[in-house]
Amino acid sequence: MWKLALRNVSRQKLRTAMTVGAIAAGVVSLVLAGGFVADIFVQLREFTIHSQLGHMQVYKEGYYQYGTQAPAKYVIDDPEPVKAALLKNPQVNDVMARLNFSGLMSNGRSDLAIIGEGVEPNKEQKLGTYLSIIAGRHLTDDDQFGIVLGEGVAQSQKLSPGERVTLLMNNKDGSLNSLDFEVVGVFRSFSKEFDSRAVRIPLAAAQELLTSPGVNSLVVSLQRTADTEAVAAATRLQLSGKGYELKTWEELSDFYRSTVELYDVQFGVLRLIILGMVVLGVANSVNMSIFERYGEFGTMRALGDRNRTVFGLILAENVIVGSTGAAIGIVLGILLAVAISAVGIPMPPPPNSNTPYVAYIRLVPLDLLGAFVIGLMAAVTAASMPSWRVSRSHVADALRRNI
Amino acid sequence: MATRAPVVQVEHICKDYKLGEETVHALKDISFNIDDGVFLAIAGPSGSGKSTMLNMIGCIDTPTSGKIVVDGTDVSGKTPDELADLRSRTISFVFQTFNLFPVLSAEENVEYPMLRRTDISKSERKERVSFFLNTVGLAKYAGHRPNQLSGGQRQRVAIARALATRPRIVLADEPTANLDYKTGESILSMMKAINRAFETTFVFSTHDQRVMGMADRLVRIEDGELTTLGVRAGNVWKYVKEKDVPIPTSDAEMQQLLKEDPELRRMIMEDPELRRALLDDQSVAGVAGKGGR
Ligand SMILES: Nc1ncnc2c1ncn2[C@@H]1O[C@H](COP(=O)(O)OP(=O)(O)OP(=O)(O)O)[C@@H](O)[C@H]1O
Ligand SMILES: [Mg+2]
């Protein structure tokens, strides 16, 4: 039967070629669109991790829910043992600490309420940051009392790199503490609102201001993103019952999650549309060739073939056509993907960033399989209706068409 | 002749077609038997219901009422699959349009209907293919595709295909209509020889005088009604319903008969279909010129 099907398929070379071509085109577009979306996911993921979140963060229990209002209440007083424990894990690349504060900043003429973060500058640099410097430079570990200001802060206070400011805040026991800093740079983030209130200083300076040796969060970066869940699970076990909590980047990034969800839905719809288009494109030629061979199917049945044999033959033919088209589509899609990736697709800056980036076509085996199945399904779906009708039709009527 | 039970019993068959509001009575209460081993011709004018009758016998169409028994099996109420299996075992078709599978070679076409017969082994299959291709004189063309064969050769392949399953009955709807005179004749005598040699029952529908000349049974259908049942007795049709008409073997003989028999001449003048069945029109014009058309 497969032999007969194969020969029937190769009978109408041009028409079969067109059907195969339509399926291949659909599969190619699926491969490319899917690979593009997959790449966006990966880039967005890495961007999310390397802009600020790290792979996971460890806090004092309750910080995640309440800490933004009162960071001072949720401080890990002695971070060293936790840090050491984390670093023991070979999958962990690095651990760095952050300490949040709020207070007043004075340029000698006026005061401004700010929120700030004490960070380990070099480690932050290594992880990557969503802050881009528009004047001066980033903080480094050598800047003992350096400060970088948000764009809005610098503007309203009329500050530029080299000038000096004073930070003023309540420490743990309620007394006022102040320190002088030198502006080393001005940054811009994705949020104007954030930029009009935010500053960054070295961790040690922040600890001195707050007269506390503690930190709010320990940001963990891993060797490989794929290990996140495993390491998180292991660490949770390690830290359980000691008053800490742990969040992975995925839990922290609402944005990543909702973006992926959105894209997934969109891509699902796109898949359906492509499937529909291929089915429509293929249906016509499949229909035509089945209709033309109506008499032949009548002959088969007159010679004693059962209905399901006829149905099976037509389906077999279209499985051959569909899988050929899908296979060609996959191969073409891969070649195109490689070619496009070699050049790269220049992309506008993603949200939360102002640097344009280059997108590639990422080939995910599971997506390739999905594209193949869709190509195959298109042919089979297009054929199933008319072939069912043929196999149900009246034999004598079918034979009458043999003119 | 009919020592064995009839291969086919047709009992009070009616067939109606609905065309919109109208109902076409294609067959009206037809009954007859087909004895084993006969060479039976179904004759009648165009549109009289010959093909419809053959389709009923071949179980590819179902009568509106009446009963058909094929090879001892009452086929009414059988499922399509059961009918397919019945066809596969006992019935073969030879079509006016040959209906070979264009993608299969001559031998593959002959082999095709045997493929689903689990009772025929592969070696048996191959044997039959070469035997029947040989029988129809196409051994040399075994590997040819239908489009590499002439019309006559295609019909021979179709006949070999029909015979390969060793059916009880071969149904042929105007098998020579698409062939030229000589080819048609050789196909017919081949079928006749096969009928003699294998005692396979052949049923034809035809307009062709020569087919009737070779038949040993004649069923005449006109406007859906069975008008004549003839059994060959030597050189004469013994008619069940009508006057006996001699079977002419050549035009000259026919004209001789017409000269001698004014009754026959009158019948032929009155009945254009009989005229067409027994003569080609020129000879009628020659014999009965003035009265004719
Ligand atoms: N599927 C159908 N639908 C409607 N009417 C039909 C159908 N098939 C046949 N008929 C009618 O039934 C009658 C008998 O048709 P049939 O094909 O059996 O004639 P026939 O004797 O084989 O004619 P011919 O010698 O021209 O082949 C005709 O009047 C035809 O119009
Ligand atoms: Mg007919």
Side-chain angles (χ1 to χ4, degrees):
Chain A
M1 173 145 114
W2 286 102
K3 196 172 81 180
L4 181 60
L6 193 63
R7 289 209 201 155
N8 279 329
V9 163
S10 47
R11 175 161 59 175
Q12 290 264 6
K13 294 220 166 50
L14 189 69
R15 183 175 300 158
T16 304
M18 271 167 57
T19 311
V20 166
I23 294 170
V27 171
V28 165
S29 49
L30 277 176
V31 168
L32 294 185
F36 182 59
V37 170
D39 186 69
I40 288 181
F41 283 178
V42 171
Q43 295 225 27
L44 183 62
R45 182 183 81 192
E46 294 306 316
F47 175 79
T48 307
I49 292 165
H50 292 287
S51 67
Q52 99 192 92
L53 293 179
H55 289 95
M56 52 200 215
Q57 301 191 5
V58 177
Y59 316 113
K60 184 136 189 144
E61 208 157 18
Y63 175 84
Y64 181 69
Q65 217 177 343
Y66 311 108
T68 21
Q69 283 95 357
K73 276 197 195 149
Y74 299 94
V75 171
I76 303 172
D77 289 320
D78 185 10
E80 286 313 317
V82 183
K83 228 169 131 175
L86 281 166
L87 280 168
K88 259 194 235 143
N89 194 328
Q91 284 143 318
V92 171
N93 182 32
D94 208 350
V95 180
M96 62 186 185
R98 287 180 188 153
L99 180 61
N100 303 70
F101 57 85
S102 56
L104 286 175
M105 189 185 80
S106 157
N107 61 358
R109 304 177 288 277
S110 63
D111 293 345
L112 181 71
I114 48 95
I115 53 165
E117 228 177 356
V119 299
E120 301 176 72
N122 283 5
K123 286 184 179 176
E124 292 281 348
Q125 268 326 104
K126 230 172 93 198
L127 175 70
T129 176
Y130 61 100
L131 304 180
S132 59
I133 290 294
I134 55 171
R137 56 174 175 81
H138 278 295
L139 277 178
T140 69
D141 283 356
D142 301 331
D143 301 315
Q144 232 185 333
F145 295 101
I147 187 169
V148 287
L149 312 175
E151 188 181 10
V153 177
Q155 264 169 11
S156 69
Q157 298 295 92
K158 301 194 173 54
L159 287 168
S160 52
E163 296 183 69
R164 300 198 70 85
V165 294
T166 306
L167 286 185
L168 195 71
M169 64 192 72
N170 286 314
N171 67 14
K172 251 191 351 193
D173 2 284
S175 56
L176 231 48
N177 227 350
S178 74
L179 269 178
D180 279 354
F181 290 87
E182 182 191 344
V183 177
V184 299
V186 178
F187 65 80
R188 179 189 288 162
S189 74
F190 51 88
S191 158
K192 268 211 155 60
E193 206 230 317
F194 179 78
D195 292 350
S196 64
R197 296 189 50 205
V199 303
R200 265 188 169 187
I201 58 175
L203 178 66
Q207 286 169 336
E208 195 176 330
L209 265 172
L210 295 172
T211 52
S212 140
V215 301
N216 281 115
S217 55
L218 288 170
V219 180
V220 181
S221 63
L222 301 179
Q223 311 283 6
R224 295 186 322 148
T225 306
D227 296 331
T228 307
E229 285 309 321
V231 177
T235 312
R236 278 198 178 110
L237 212 65
Q238 232 176 356
L239 297 179
S240 72
K242 295 182 184 161
Y244 299 110
E245 65 183 359
L246 182 148
K247 297 279 170 195
T248 63
W249 63 273
E250 244 180 314
E251 293 166 314
L252 292 171
S253 177
D254 282 337
F255 179 75
Y256 177 82
R257 255 178 309 163
S258 52
T259 307
V260 167
E261 248 164 56
L262 181 71
Y263 268 93
D264 263 347
V265 171
Q266 282 182 350
F267 191 55
V269 171
L270 185 71
R271 271 202 182 108
L272 276 182
I273 291 173
I274 292 180
L275 176 66
M277 269 166 41
V278 175
V279 167
L280 284 181
V282 170
N284 188 38
S285 64
V286 167
N287 236 322
M288 231 151 75
S289 78
I290 290 177
F291 186 77
E292 272 169 16
R293 289 163 56 208
Y294 223 83
E296 190 180 317
F297 300 130
T299 307
M300 285 177 68
R301 291 157 69 203
L303 296 185
D305 274 327
R306 293 180 172 202
N307 294 347
R308 90 172 76 92
T309 311
V310 175
F311 186 68
L313 175 72
I314 302 176
L315 233 51
E317 288 176 16
N318 284 284
V319 165
I320 292 175
V321 169
S323 47
T324 309
I328 290 176
I330 295 285
V331 170
L332 270 183
I334 291 177
L335 290 180
L336 267 175
V338 170
I340 292 173
S341 296
V343 181
I345 308 164
M347 296 289 288
N352 291 13
S353 156
N354 36 29
T355 38
Y357 70 108
V358 179
Y360 303 98
I361 308 289
R362 199 167 291 261
L363 297 167
V364 184
L366 204 66
D367 284 355
L368 292 182
L369 189 70
F372 184 90
V373 169
I374 285 182
L376 183 58
M377 284 301 298
V380 173
T381 311
S384 58
M385 252 292 285
S387 59
W388 192 79
R389 223 170 43 224
V390 162
S391 74
R392 293 298 119 144
S393 71
H394 203 269
V395 185
D397 287 343
L399 279 171
R400 237 176 262 274
R401 307 231 198 143
N402 248 332
I403 304 302
Chain B
M1 190 169 263
T3 48
R4 285 168 283 186
V7 191
V8 178
Q9 291 159 263
V10 177
E11 289 172 23
H12 305 292
I13 287 299
C14 294
K15 178 66 179 180
D16 298 338
Y17 287 112
K18 283 232 158 34
L19 278 180
E21 298 288 286
E22 259 178 88
T23 305
V24 181
H25 300 288
L27 293 175
K28 301 166 192 163
D29 191 27
I30 296 203
S31 302
F32 64 93
N33 287 350
I34 302 177
D35 291 329
D36 199 10
V38 298
F39 205 70
L40 183 147
I42 299 179
S46 187
S48 56
K50 303 183 295 293
S51 300
T52 308
M53 191 64 243
L54 274 184
N55 291 345
M56 303 287 162
I57 298 170
C59 308
I60 54 174
D61 205 347
T62 44
T64 309
S65 67
K67 182 168 125 180
I68 293 180
V69 180
V70 177
D71 197 21
T73 314
D74 182 355
V75 301
S76 26
K78 295 266 183 226
T79 67
D81 279 356
E82 286 168 339
L83 290 178
D85 293 346
L86 178 73
R87 286 197 293 273
S88 158
R89 275 180 284 106
T90 55
I91 303 170
S92 282
F93 291 87
V94 174
F95 304 95
Q96 178 179 347
T97 47
F98 318 137
N99 295 19
L100 297 177
F101 298 111
V103 294
L104 300 181
S105 67
E107 58 182 347
E108 287 165 337
N109 263 289
V110 176
E111 189 181 10
Y112 184 84
M114 291 188 283
L115 288 176
R116 84 189 72 78
R117 289 278 297 272
T118 45
D119 53 327
I120 305 177
S121 71
K122 189 172 174 170
S123 57
E124 166 81 10
R125 230 160 53 208
K126 299 285 173 203
E127 226 163 83
R128 286 198 197 180
V129 167
S130 64
F131 176 78
F132 284 105
L133 273 182
N134 219 17
T135 306
V136 299
L138 286 177
K140 272 197 298 187
Y141 297 88
H144 286 229
R145 292 273 176 99
N147 59 5
Q148 299 164 322
L149 296 170
S150 73
Q153 290 168 331
R154 288 180 205 179
Q155 198 60 303
R156 283 162 190 267
V157 174
I159 290 166
R161 175 175 72 180
L163 295 171
T165 52
R166 296 198 189 283
R168 294 294 309 278
I169 180 166
V170 176
L171 303 172
D173 194 358
E174 312 199 25
T176 56
N178 274 357
L179 300 172
D180 67 48
Y181 186 86
K182 273 197 69 177
T183 317
E185 190 145 281
S186 71
I187 292 275
L188 273 174
S189 32
M190 194 187 78
M191 289 204 271
K192 182 71 189 172
I194 289 166
N195 166 251
R196 290 259 161 77
F198 303 122
E199 295 189 348
T200 310
T201 309
F202 276 80
V203 177
F204 301 88
S205 79
T206 187
H207 303 282
D208 191 334
Q209 161 61 31
R210 292 160 301 149
V211 179
M212 287 176 262
M214 284 192 190
D216 46 33
R217 291 285 192 285
L218 183 65
V219 171
R220 249 186 114 57
I221 298 177
E222 276 171 43
D223 202 14
E225 290 184 74
L226 191 145
T227 57
T228 312
L229 267 174
V231 177
R232 180 192 280 267
N235 252 5
V236 181
W237 287 119
K238 291 295 278 182
Y239 282 123
V240 176
K241 283 194 173 177
E242 274 184 8
K243 176 188 175 346
D244 293 2
V245 177
I247 304 167
T249 52
S250 70
D251 279 357
E253 196 182 319
M254 184 72 220
Q255 302 196 358
Q256 189 61 35
L257 279 169
L258 284 168
K259 269 191 195 127
E260 284 166 14
D261 188 351
E263 172 69 23
L264 178 62
R265 205 152 60 219
R266 189 191 55 74
M267 269 175 61
I268 282 191
M269 293 314 300
E270 279 171 10
D271 182 357
E273 285 309 324
L274 183 61
R275 186 166 72 219
R276 209 171 300 152
L278 293 179
L279 299 164
D280 48 18
D281 279 357
Q282 287 82 357
S283 58
V284 177
V287 175
K290 41 210 149 59
R293 338 171 246 201

